[in-house]
mmCIF file of all heavy atoms in Angstrom:
data_model
loop_
_atom_site.group_PDB
_atom_site.id
_atom_site.type_symbol
_atom_site.label_atom_id
_atom_site.label_comp_id
_atom_site.label_asym_id
_atom_site.label_seq_id
_atom_site.Cartn_x
_atom_site.Cartn_y
_atom_site.Cartn_z
ATOM 1 N N LYS A 1318 12.608 15.285 -2.837
ATOM 2 C CA LYS A 1318 14.008 15.632 -3.069
ATOM 3 C C LYS A 1318 14.904 14.762 -2.189
ATOM 4 O O LYS A 1318 14.502 14.345 -1.107
ATOM 5 C CB LYS A 1318 14.240 17.099 -2.719
ATOM 6 C CG LYS A 1318 13.520 18.064 -3.636
ATOM 7 C CD LYS A 1318 13.706 19.482 -3.130
ATOM 8 C CE LYS A 1318 12.816 20.433 -3.897
ATOM 9 N NZ LYS A 1318 12.792 21.758 -3.271
ATOM 10 N N THR A 1319 16.120 14.548 -2.664
ATOM 11 C CA THR A 1319 17.040 13.722 -1.889
ATOM 12 C C THR A 1319 18.162 14.556 -1.284
ATOM 13 O O THR A 1319 18.932 14.062 -0.463
ATOM 14 C CB THR A 1319 17.644 12.631 -2.782
ATOM 15 O OG1 THR A 1319 18.121 13.245 -3.980
ATOM 16 C CG2 THR A 1319 16.625 11.570 -3.114
ATOM 17 N N ASP A 1320 18.232 15.842 -1.693
ATOM 18 C CA ASP A 1320 19.382 16.658 -1.275
ATOM 19 C C ASP A 1320 19.002 17.652 -0.174
ATOM 20 O O ASP A 1320 19.568 18.727 -0.082
ATOM 21 C CB ASP A 1320 19.933 17.401 -2.493
ATOM 22 C CG ASP A 1320 18.869 18.235 -3.176
ATOM 23 O OD1 ASP A 1320 17.681 18.003 -2.901
ATOM 24 O OD2 ASP A 1320 19.224 19.134 -3.957
ATOM 25 N N ILE A 1321 18.035 17.292 0.666
ATOM 26 C CA ILE A 1321 17.639 18.183 1.758
ATOM 27 C C ILE A 1321 18.670 18.052 2.888
ATOM 28 O O ILE A 1321 18.915 16.941 3.369
ATOM 29 C CB ILE A 1321 16.243 17.800 2.295
ATOM 30 C CG1 ILE A 1321 15.210 17.770 1.171
ATOM 31 C CG2 ILE A 1321 15.814 18.738 3.415
ATOM 32 C CD1 ILE A 1321 14.785 19.100 0.648
ATOM 33 N N PRO A 1322 19.277 19.161 3.318
ATOM 34 C CA PRO A 1322 20.248 19.043 4.421
ATOM 35 C C PRO A 1322 19.542 18.725 5.732
ATOM 36 O O PRO A 1322 18.336 18.901 5.868
ATOM 37 C CB PRO A 1322 20.901 20.427 4.462
ATOM 38 C CG PRO A 1322 19.911 21.336 3.845
ATOM 39 C CD PRO A 1322 19.151 20.540 2.836
ATOM 40 N N ASP A 1323 20.325 18.265 6.689
ATOM 41 C CA ASP A 1323 19.765 17.871 7.983
ATOM 42 C C ASP A 1323 19.619 19.120 8.856
ATOM 43 O O ASP A 1323 20.604 19.758 9.203
ATOM 44 C CB ASP A 1323 20.718 16.852 8.615
ATOM 45 C CG ASP A 1323 20.225 16.421 9.972
ATOM 46 O OD1 ASP A 1323 18.997 16.275 10.112
ATOM 47 O OD2 ASP A 1323 21.049 16.259 10.880
ATOM 48 N N PHE A 1324 18.398 19.517 9.191
ATOM 49 C CA PHE A 1324 18.195 20.631 10.122
ATOM 50 C C PHE A 1324 16.967 20.365 10.959
ATOM 51 O O PHE A 1324 16.086 19.602 10.585
ATOM 52 C CB PHE A 1324 18.084 21.967 9.374
ATOM 53 C CG PHE A 1324 16.960 22.050 8.377
ATOM 54 C CD1 PHE A 1324 15.674 22.384 8.777
ATOM 55 C CD2 PHE A 1324 17.192 21.805 7.030
ATOM 56 C CE1 PHE A 1324 14.643 22.463 7.870
ATOM 57 C CE2 PHE A 1324 16.165 21.878 6.113
ATOM 58 C CZ PHE A 1324 14.894 22.210 6.537
ATOM 59 N N LYS A 1325 16.945 20.987 12.148
ATOM 60 C CA LYS A 1325 15.801 20.813 13.031
ATOM 61 C C LYS A 1325 15.539 22.112 13.779
ATOM 62 O O LYS A 1325 16.197 23.135 13.512
ATOM 63 C CB LYS A 1325 16.041 19.647 13.974
ATOM 64 C CG LYS A 1325 17.292 19.761 14.809
ATOM 65 C CD LYS A 1325 17.399 18.576 15.730
ATOM 66 C CE LYS A 1325 18.465 18.813 16.776
ATOM 67 N NZ LYS A 1325 18.474 17.836 17.824
ATOM 68 N N ALA A 1326 14.587 22.080 14.701
ATOM 69 C CA ALA A 1326 14.190 23.287 15.421
ATOM 70 C C ALA A 1326 15.388 23.929 16.109
ATOM 71 O O ALA A 1326 16.227 23.239 16.690
ATOM 72 C CB ALA A 1326 13.112 22.950 16.437
ATOM 73 N N GLY A 1327 15.465 25.244 16.041
ATOM 74 C CA GLY A 1327 16.558 25.982 16.655
ATOM 75 C C GLY A 1327 17.651 26.368 15.685
ATOM 76 O O GLY A 1327 18.428 27.277 15.945
ATOM 77 N N ASP A 1328 17.709 25.686 14.542
ATOM 78 C CA ASP A 1328 18.742 25.982 13.554
ATOM 79 C C ASP A 1328 18.360 27.231 12.755
ATOM 80 O O ASP A 1328 17.172 27.501 12.541
ATOM 81 C CB ASP A 1328 18.917 24.811 12.580
ATOM 82 C CG ASP A 1328 19.378 23.550 13.286
ATOM 83 O OD1 ASP A 1328 19.713 23.652 14.468
ATOM 84 O OD2 ASP A 1328 19.378 22.482 12.650
#
Side-chain angles (χ1 to χ4, degrees):
Chain A
K1318 294 175 189 170
T1319 49
D1320 56 344
I1321 305 287
D1323 179 38
F1324 59 84
K1325 57 178 192 170
D1328 298 351

